[in-house]
Structures are given as structure tokens and as C-alpha cells.
């Protein structure tokens, strides 16, 4: 079975067209997506980015889910 990564943006699903051969591969990609957002946020904190900008980054962070492909 193939799996599609769906990003959740402002609680709305957005199809990414990223297809994986296994659920584990898809979940790993979703975890990598979250990891990169966290790295961006942490880099901003390290560089003393203003609080308003950090808030924007935090609000923009997405999560995802994997759904079976047809």
C-alpha cells in the first residue's frame, strides 16, 4: 500500500503529492517536517529574533498525517 503525506495548515488538510511506499516512511517524512520547523524556531531564538517574528514562526508551524493512497 502507498501512503500520501498531508500537511495540516491552519487545521486544513493540504495534499503534498508526496507518496511513500510504507506508512513508516511517510511518518518519518512528517517527523522531518516538524523537526525542520523546530530548527528554524530555535535558530531564531539563538539569533535573538524579535518575539513577534518568533510568534509568527510558531503559528506557521505545520503538522501532518499520512493517508492511504488510492
Amino acid at each position: 500500500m502507498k501512503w500520501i503525506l498531508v500537511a495540516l495548515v491552519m487545521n486544513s488538510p493540504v495534499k503534498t503529492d508526496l507518496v511513500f511506499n510504507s506508512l513508516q516512511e511517510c511518518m518519518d517524512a512528517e517527523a522531518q517536517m516538524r523537526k525542520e520547523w523546530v530548527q528554524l524556531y530555535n535558530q531564531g531564538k539563538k539569533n535573538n529574533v524579535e518575539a513577534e517574528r518568533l510568534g509568527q514562526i510558531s503559528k506557521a508551524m505545520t503538522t501532518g498525517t499520512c493517508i492511504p493512497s488510492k
Side-chain angles (χ1 to χ4, degrees), residues 12-39:
S12 297
V14 177
K15 186 177 167 191
T16 64
D17 290 329
L18 297 173
V19 179
F20 300 91
N21 290 320
S22 70
L23 177 57
Q24 185 61 53
E25 288 176 9
C26 186
M27 296 300 291
D28 290 345
E30 193 278 337
Q32 182 63 37
M33 178 179 67
R34 283 184 286 115
K35 180 180 174 185
E36 290 184 25
W37 275 107
V38 169
Q39 288 173 343

Side-chain angles (χ1 to χ4, degrees), residues 26-64:
C26 186
M27 296 300 291
D28 290 345
E30 193 278 337
Q32 182 63 37
M33 178 179 67
R34 283 184 286 115
K35 180 180 174 185
E36 290 184 25
W37 275 107
V38 169
Q39 288 173 343
L40 176 67
Y41 181 85
N42 288 339
Q43 188 64 39
K45 283 185 78 167
K46 181 180 176 183
N47 292 334
N48 296 317
V49 170
E50 60 274 359
E52 182 180 345
R53 181 67 181 133
L54 284 175
Q56 290 173 335
I57 293 170
S58 180
K59 288 178 185 176
M61 286 183 185
T62 61
T63 60

